Amino acid sequence: MASESISPIRFGTISFTTGGAAASTAGVGPGPNDPQLGDFCESGGARWVFVYNDGGASAPVGCAVVLNSAATGYSVTVTSVTSADFAIGVVQNATFMTGTYGWVLVRGIGTVKMMTASGTVAARQNLELAANGYFYGASNTTGNGLCFGQSISAIVSSASGSAFITCYG
């Protein structure tokens, strides 16, 4: 990955995941251009963060990940995510397999996956987290959780669609 950086932000291209077990020390590889856990990258108008999936379940494209409270650093999980959680990023491009490193979208236009029941949203509707990293429409009356994006067009339950994503990673 060719990159330039102004610490701690990297500018370069994103190639989704790197397989392998967690390194025993901070960092992912031996080279000077290899990303470190928690590195940010600006690419094509989007902001990404490099994380490790140690949560025990693979995260599908369009699902949000949260910090894994059982681990340290930028270790994430999709398991048992609820509307009360704080999303770090949203998986894009390929399923984020357990025990791998990868880039998740923090801010920009990307794909979101809607929950099965009551997951239909209208165009420009705000999005909240649902169970296991899926999304559903934010309600102005219930105020269940934080807003993590806005749909660009209507998206039906169980489907994926485009949204402007804004997480706090």
Side-chain angles (χ1 to χ4, degrees), residues 36 51 55 65 84 91 142:
Q36 303 290 310
V51 296
V65 293
V91 176
T142 60

Side-chain angles (χ1 to χ4, degrees), residues 102-127:
W103 295 99
V104 292
L105 182 63
V106 174
R107 184 182 61 243
I109 294 176
T111 299
V112 294
K113 176 83 172 159
M114 305 307 291
M115 63 184 277
T116 304
S118 305
T120 299
V121 295
R124 298 187 322 271
Q125 185 170 350
N126 289 340
L127 303 172

